[in-house]
């Protein structure tokens, strides 16, 4: 019996499932809002970020662009850093899994 890399196969399946979930979510968002989220300039700018601090810098620029009435509560900055760090780590793990799928296709 041949068992060809069960871990790689499992990772590939998980990556395919995550990619399917993400694609479905983006399609649903586009249908409901008529906005293509990946084509948004902020999404494009965030995709070029390669560290959590780069992401935070982009988001800080966005906040600076808001007028004072829309920035009334800056408490969000206390949890934004840890949230970005977790999401960045998760995206890296998912990216590696998606990379395995792309290599196998």
């Amino acid at each position: 019996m041949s068992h060809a890399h069960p871990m790689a196969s499992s990772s590939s399946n998980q990556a395919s499932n995550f990619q399917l979930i993400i694609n479905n979510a983006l399609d649903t968002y586009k249908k409901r809002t008529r906005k293509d989220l990946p084509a948004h300039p902020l999404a494009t700018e965030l995709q070029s970020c390669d560290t959590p601090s780069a992401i935070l810098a982009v988001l800080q620029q966005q906040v600076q662009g808001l007028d004072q009435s829309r920035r009334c509560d800056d408490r969000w900055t206390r949890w934004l850093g840890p949230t970005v760090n977790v999401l960045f780590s998760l995206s890296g793990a998912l990216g590696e899994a998606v990379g395995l799928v792309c290599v196998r296709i």
Side-chain angles (χ1 to χ4, degrees), residues 2-49:
S2 173
H3 290 212
H5 306 293
M7 288 295 275
S9 177
S10 175
S11 294
S12 296
N13 289 338
Q14 289 175 349
S16 295
N17 290 340
F18 284 128
Q19 190 64 49
L20 183 61
I21 290 167
I22 291 168
N23 289 341
N24 287 338
L26 289 171
D27 288 342
T28 300
Y29 181 85
K30 187 174 182 178
K31 287 176 187 173
R32 289 184 182 172
T33 65
R34 299 182 190 257
K35 295 178 183 179
D36 186 11
L37 198 55
H40 189 280
L42 181 58
T44 304
E45 193 172 352
L46 288 171
Q47 286 178 345
S48 67
C49 296

Side-chain angles (χ1 to χ4, degrees), residues 7 15 25 32 34-35 39-40 42 51 58 63 67 73-74 78 99-101:
M7 288 295 275
R32 289 184 182 172
R34 299 182 190 257
K35 295 178 183 179
H40 189 280
L42 181 58
T51 65
V58 169
V63 171
D67 60 25
D73 189 1
D74 289 334
R78 278 187 250 149
L100 286 173
V101 171

Side-chain angles (χ1 to χ4, degrees), residues 2 8 29-30 32 36 42 46 52 56 62-63 66 72 76 82 84 87-88 96 98 101:
S2 173
Y29 181 85
K30 187 174 182 178
R32 289 184 182 172
D36 186 11
L42 181 58
L46 288 171
L56 289 169
Q62 293 295 311
V63 171
L66 298 176
C72 63
W76 65 272
V84 167
L87 292 174
F88 187 82
E96 289 175 15
V98 169
V101 171

